[in-house]
Each structure stands twice: as structure tokens, then as C-alpha cells.
């Protein structure tokens, strides 16, 4: 299949809608300044074919897409022990909600909501330098250096009251081992990584290759672990819109409030779309629309 014309066609379809609906994330001041009228997409197939269209080379804040890579590091380092303190059920609540944590004694529903990612990050902090580990993984996966946007990290740290509450609340249940401030510093930096659609399409390549590194072929995770990540993306990767994503798009996806969404077609390709304006669930409106156009046009689906 020739993907380049398909991605170009999608850009043409969404272009008239740019900036018309939704809002950029405004609870993180550095993200509130990002111009909404941008759209990019890129993909990389398992045999190395690449396609990209629109603002595919523009770096944006990956935000919660980083939860995918933090989980990858955690599963690689800890194996099944990672699941002692983290569930695998959709939350049915906003990504920064506190309510379930109390009823469930400080055990987050899944690793893709904020509480879950903070719990994963705590385990990574216990292993060593969690910030450096994530940059090293991402730079290796997309085959070029990846950096934190320090302005975004500082902006999150200055306004991340809910995340501080989540961290401290879990700590009160004895579910966080390290100093909460150190864990949040790593978590905020993970969210503040800047990457482009093309870099993310490359970096997620191990998820469509049964855990093999997209360039070196090295086994990063086992096939079984990789399937589990894909299943979590499908059920929990887009928060309480996961049902809608499965219904309309039919692929494992992970979104972030920077407006990026990555998606995986197992054994075929990984792709990334980006447009900063979000819907009420914190998912990119045009990103979701573009993914629906892509799966409709190509017939690709996990179902
Ligand atoms: N950094 C954001 C936060 O902690 C990430 C949220 C997201 O992308 N859904 O709130």
C-alpha cells in the first residue's frame, strides 16, 4: 500500500477544520501558548517505508505519550513486579482524577492515567536516573537525540497541583517509595519531552514489531509484554474516550495533551498524528478525526 498519498489526502481534508474546534491545553501555561492551527502526521512501516504530511517535522510536547515509554522502561526493568501497585483497568474518569484512588487504597487503575504514570515513575526513580533513562530510550528508538523542553517542565512543576496531590495521596498509602518531589520532577520532565510526528512514528516502531527495536532489531520487550502494552493502549490509552477510539478508529492509541496521538497496527506500522486543539477528554480533536479517516481509507484495524 502507498501511504504517502493517503496522508496527504488526510491533510487536505482536515486543513479547512484547523483551529475551528477545541482548545489547546490551558492548564499548563507553556502549552496554552502553542498555536492551535497546526496538523501533522507520519508513519513508518515494519519494513522501513516512511510517509509524512503537514507539520510532521514540528516538535511538540509529547505529554502523556511519555507514559508509554515510561511503562516500557518499567516493564523491561521490573517484569511482572511492576503490576504489584498498578492496575490494568480503564478508569472511566479524567486522566488527572483523584476520586478512584481513595476507594482503591492508592492503587491507580492503570499506567496511562497520571496517578499510574507517577507510580511507574517512582519505580524508575528507584532504579536510577529516570530522566536520563527516558531520553536514552527515546533517542535510541528514533535514532537521533531527543531533549526535554525545560520551559514546559518548569511550567508543569509550577502549576502541577493535582499531580502533587496524586503523588502525595499515593505516598500516604505507602505506595510511593521515593521522595514525592523527586518522582514528580522526573514525571514532569517525561511529559515535557519535545518530539515530532516522524520521531514518534519511528520511536513506537517496537510496538508493531513484537518488541523489537525499530532500527537495531534488538528485543526491547518480549512479544508478550508488547502485546500487553498494545492491549492497554486500546483499553486505557485515551482515558475515558477509549471506548470511542476503539469504536471509531479500532487501533491501540496513546494520546497526550500536547495534541499528539500515536497508534499501532501490529505487524504493519506505527503512526503519529498531531494537532494541538483538544476535546473535553484531553484528546486531539483533529488527530482523532485524522486517525478515523486513516483506518477508514486503509481498512487497517485490529478487529
Ligand atoms: N503533563 C500532563 C499532566 O500531568 C499530562 C496529561 C496528559 O497528557 N493527558 O497533567
Amino acid at each position: 500500500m502507498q501511504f504517502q498519498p493517503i496522508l496527504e489526502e488526510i491533510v487536505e481534508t482536515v486543513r479547512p477544520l484547523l483551529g475551528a474546534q477545541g482548545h489547546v491545553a490551558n492548564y499548563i501555561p507553556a502549552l496554552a501558548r502553542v498555536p492551535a492551527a497546526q496538523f501533522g502526521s507520519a508513519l513508518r512501516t515494519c519494513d522501513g517505508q516512511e510517509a509524512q504530511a503537514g507539520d510532521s517535522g514540528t516538535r511538540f510536547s509529547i505529554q502523556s505519550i511519555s507514559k508509554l515509554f515510561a511503562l516500557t522502561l518499567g516493564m523491561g526493568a521490573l517484569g511482572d513486579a511492576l503490576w504489584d501497585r498498578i492496575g490494568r483497568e480503564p478508569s472511566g474518569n479524567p486522566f488527572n482524577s483523584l476520586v478512584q484512588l481513595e476507594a482503591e487504597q492508592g492503587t491507580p487503575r492503570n499506567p496511562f492515567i497520571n496517578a499510574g504514570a507517577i507510580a511507574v515513575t517512582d519505580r524508575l526513580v528507584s532504579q536510577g536516573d529516570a530522566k536520563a533513562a527516558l531520553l536514552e530510550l527515546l533517542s535510541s528508538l528514533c535514532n537521533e537525540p531527543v531533549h526535554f523542553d525545560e520551559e514546559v517542565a518548569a511550567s508543569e512543576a509550577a502549576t502541577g497541583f493535582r499531580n502533587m496531590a496524586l503523588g502525595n495521596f499515593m505516598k500516604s498509602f505507602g505506595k510511593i517509595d521515593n521522595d514525592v518531589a523527586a518522582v514528580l520532577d522526573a514525571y514532569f520532565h517525561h511529559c515535557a519531552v519535545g518530539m515530532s510526528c516522524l520521531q514518534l512514528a519511528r520511536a513506537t516502531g517496537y510496538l508493531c514489531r513484537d518488541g523489537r527495536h525499530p532500527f537495531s532489531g534488538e528485543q526491547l520487550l518480549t512479544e508478550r509484554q508488547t502485546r500487553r502494552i498494545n492491549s492497554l493502549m486500546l483499553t486505557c490509552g485515551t482515558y475515558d474516550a477509549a471506548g470511542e477510539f476503539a469504536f471509531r478508529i479500532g487501533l491501540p492509541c496513546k494520546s497526550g495533551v500536547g495534541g499528539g496521538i500515536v497508534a499501532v497496527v501490529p505487524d504493519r506500522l506505527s503512526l503519529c498524528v498531531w494537532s494541538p486543539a483538544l476535546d473535553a477528554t484531553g484528546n486531539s480533536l483533529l488527530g482523532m478525526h485524522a486517525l478515523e479517516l486513516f483506518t477508514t481509507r486503509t481498512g487497517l484495524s485490529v478487529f
Side-chain angles (χ1 to χ4, degrees):
M1 197 173 329
Q2 286 303 313
F3 291 108
Q4 184 60 35
I6 299 176
L7 293 194
E8 284 169 12
E9 198 182 295
I10 292 172
V11 170
E12 290 317 311
T13 310
V14 303
R15 202 188 295 279
L17 306 171
L18 276 179
Q21 281 181 310
H23 300 281
V24 297
N26 53 14
Y27 71 102
I28 301 171
L31 294 186
R33 294 194 283 273
V34 176
Q38 303 186 77
F39 174 85
S41 63
L43 66 76
R44 188 164 191 267
T45 63
C46 289
D47 54 16
Q49 185 195 333
E50 290 185 347
Q52 51 181 312
D55 303 313
S56 56
T58 306
R59 276 178 228 269
F60 59 89
S61 191
I62 72 169
Q63 292 295 313
S64 279
I65 298 174
S66 64
K67 294 174 168 67
L68 190 57
F69 302 107
L71 176 65
T72 299
L73 286 172
M75 286 173 83
L78 292 155
D80 282 345
L82 184 76
W83 302 110
D84 292 350
R85 290 183 190 168
I86 303 161
R88 281 106 49 168
E89 290 295 339
S91 69
N93 273 299
F95 57 80
N96 54 7
S97 169
L98 280 144
V99 291
Q100 270 166 350
L101 266 187
E102 171 140 50
E104 298 176 5
Q105 286 81 46
T107 299
R109 273 287 170 107
N110 67 68
F112 290 153
I113 50 173
N114 289 9
I118 293 168
V120 170
T121 306
D122 175 54
R123 310 307 295 270
L124 297 179
V125 169
S126 299
Q127 302 284 312
D129 187 340
K131 291 197 270 186
L134 193 85
L135 285 187
E136 197 184 314
L137 174 70
L138 288 172
S139 301
S140 155
L141 281 172
C142 70
N143 217 13
E144 56 191 31
V146 166
H147 306 285
F148 298 126
D149 181 332
E150 290 292 345
E151 190 199 342
V152 174
S155 185
E156 290 220 44
T159 56
F161 305 112
R162 270 182 177 259
N163 289 320
M164 291 170 210
L166 290 167
N168 282 303
F169 203 42
M170 288 188 285
K171 182 90 177 171
S172 77
F173 285 101
K175 303 279 170 79
I176 295 283
D177 293 331
N178 297 283
D179 176 43
V180 175
V183 174
L184 287 175
D185 178 55
Y187 169 80
F188 290 141
H189 275 84
H190 289 178
C191 292
V193 167
M195 288 174 81
S196 68
C197 287
L198 185 59
Q199 288 179 318
L200 278 165
R202 289 175 178 165
T204 43
Y206 66 104
L207 296 172
C208 63
R209 289 178 177 76
D210 297 327
R212 284 189 305 280
H213 190 288
F215 292 99
S216 73
E218 172 209 347
Q219 200 77 40
L220 280 179
L221 292 176
T222 65
E223 186 176 338
R224 182 158 179 247
Q225 285 174 317
T226 311
R227 285 194 184 149
R228 288 178 156 183
I229 293 190
N230 285 334
S231 74
L232 285 168
M233 288 171 73
L234 187 80
T235 54
C236 313
T238 51
Y239 322 111
D240 50 341
E244 188 70 9
F245 266 76
F247 185 82
R248 282 173 50 188
I249 295 160
L251 295 177
C253 294
K254 182 75 205 87
S255 61
V257 292
I261 309 176
V262 295
V264 178
V265 186
D267 303 322
R268 291 293 298 273
L269 58 88
S270 48
L271 77 155
C272 177
V273 293
W274 168 63
S275 192
L278 311 175
D279 68 9
T281 62
N283 293 298
S284 168
L285 261 169
L286 285 186
M288 191 170 180
H289 184 47
L291 285 173
E292 187 174 6
L293 290 169
F294 179 80
T295 50
T296 306
R297 176 76 168 69
T298 58
L300 294 169
S301 168
V302 293
F303 297 108

